[in-house]
Amino acid sequence: MRMIPYGRQNLSEDDIRSVVDVLRSDWLTQGPTVARFEAAIAKYVGSQYAVAVSSGTAALHLGCRALGLKRGGMLWTSPNTFVASANCAFYCNGDVSFVDIGKDTFNISPTALEKKLIEAKQRGQLPDILVPVHFAGQPCDMKEIFALAKEYDCKIVEDASHAIGAEYHDSKIGSCQYSELTTFSFHPVKLMTTGEGGAITTNDKGIYDKLMMLRSHGIIRDPDRMNGTSEGDWYYQQLDLGYNYRITDIQAALGISQLSRLDQFLKKRQTLVRRYHNKLSHLPVKLPIVRDARTSAWHLYVIRVDEKKTGKTRGEVFAALRKSGVGVNVHYIPVHTHPYYAKKGFQKGDYPVSEKYYEEAISIPIFYDMTEDEQDRVIRALEQAL
Ligand SMILES: *Cc1c(COP(=O)(O)O)cnc(C)c1O
C-alpha cells in the first residue's frame, strides 16, 4: 500500500491554468503577476505591504537585514523550529540565542522570555530581534511578547511559515499588529505553495522600501532616492548590498491561485483535526491543545508519546507507524543540538522543555487531499503501534 505522507500539496486544474497563462505571456520573472500576488497577500492578512521572495529563508534573511541586524547584533528564537529561523542571524554576521518553549504550546514561552530579558539587561546584552515561530500554525502569545519587546526595545519578526490563515484575537497572522514584520514560506509541504517561495508583510513604508531594494541587489531606479541626479532613463544605482531573492511570475501565478483556495484548505484541516481529536482521545498519547482567542492553521498535528504511559518509546511508535505505511515525521530536532550549533557552544540540556518535547513528538499525516479512509488507517495504525 502507498505510504500516506505527513503533508502534501494540492494542485487544481485552475492552479495549472494560471501558471500556463503566465508561460504564454510576455513576463516570466518579476512582472505584473508578482505585484498582483503581493497585493493579494496583503489584502488577505490585513497588512499595508507584502513583498514576495524566492523562499521563506530569503524572507527571514531580508527581514533581519531590513531591521538592521549586523555584526554584534543578536537574534533570539525558540529551539523548536526549522534551522532557518535562527540561521538568518548568522547570514547577517549576527549572533543567535534561544528561549525555551511552553510545555503545552510548543511556542516560545513569554515567561522564559521575560526571565532571559531581565538577565540580558543586567549583562548589557539585550537582543535586537525576537523571532517568535507560530509552530504548527498555532499563534504565539503575541500580546505578551510585544509588550516585552517594547519594554526591552527589541524588534519582532514573526516566522509564520506554518501559519498563513491563522488568527490571533481579531486579526490574521501577518497583519503585523504585534510585530515589525512577518515572514511566510510557500514550500510544497506548507499550507499553500508556489514551489519554492516566500513573503514578508509589514505596515512600515521604510521597511517595505528596504525589503524591495534588498530583494534585488540593493538597486533602486527611483530618481528621488538617488545620490545626486539620474543620468537618464537607463540609470539605476546600487545603494546597499542586496541579493537576487526574486520570485518569478510563474510562481506568483500559482501563489494567487493557491491563496484563493487557502480558506478551503484550512477548513479541511479543521475537519481532519476534529476527527483526530475525537478518535484519538481514548489513546494514552497527548494531543495538541486548542488555545483561546486564536485559530490555528494546523500545518502540523503533533502527538506526544510519553514512555511512562505507553511503555513504548517515541522511536518505537514512529518505526511501527512507518512500517504500516504511515509517513510520520518529527518536528523539530531542537536547533541548538545540531552539530553546527554545538560548535558555537550550545549544549544538550540548555533548553530542557524543547528537548523533552522533541523526545516525545510525532507529526501524523494531515493534508488537504486526505480521505476519511486514509485518516482511519492512520488511527488504526496508531492503535496497533501503542
Ligand atoms: C519551512 C520553514 C522555513 C523556511 O522556508 P523555506 O521556504 O523552505 O525556505 C522557515 N521557518 C520555518 C518554521 C519553516 O517551517
Side-chain angles (χ1 to χ4, degrees), residues 236-264:
Y236 58 84
Q237 284 183 341
Q238 184 190 340
L239 298 185
D240 199 342
L241 183 63
Y243 315 88
N244 179 351
Y245 279 168
R246 293 187 298 262
I247 193 169
T248 65
D249 264 33
I250 306 167
Q251 292 165 299
L254 182 55
I256 293 169
S257 189
Q258 287 263 303
L259 185 60
S260 74
R261 303 171 62 216
L262 180 60
D263 285 341
Q264 197 184 320

Side-chain angles (χ1 to χ4, degrees), residues 55-57 60 81-82 84-85 133 159 161-162 185 187 190 197 332:
S55 70
T57 303
L60 285 159
T81 187
F82 185 57
S85 317
V133 180
D159 183 343
S161 298
H162 300 184
S185 164
H187 183 276
K190 306 294 161 73
Y332 282 102

Side-chain angles (χ1 to χ4, degrees), residues 70-133:
K70 47 182 181 285
R71 194 174 299 284
M74 172 63 89
L75 176 151
W76 289 0
T77 187
S78 52
N80 182 35
T81 187
F82 185 57
V83 291
S85 317
N87 287 344
C88 53
F90 295 136
Y91 295 158
C92 303
N93 298 306
D95 226 322
V96 173
S97 191
F98 299 93
V99 179
D100 216 342
I101 57 172
K103 202 156 61 27
D104 297 306
T105 65
F106 323 147
N107 281 334
I108 188 168
S109 153
T111 321
L113 175 60
E114 179 163 29
K115 188 157 168 272
K116 188 164 169 130
L117 284 167
I118 292 168
E119 290 164 7
K121 186 168 183 185
Q122 282 162 358
R123 289 196 316 269
Q125 289 177 342
L126 283 170
D128 301 282
I129 297 180
L130 302 174
V131 180
V133 180

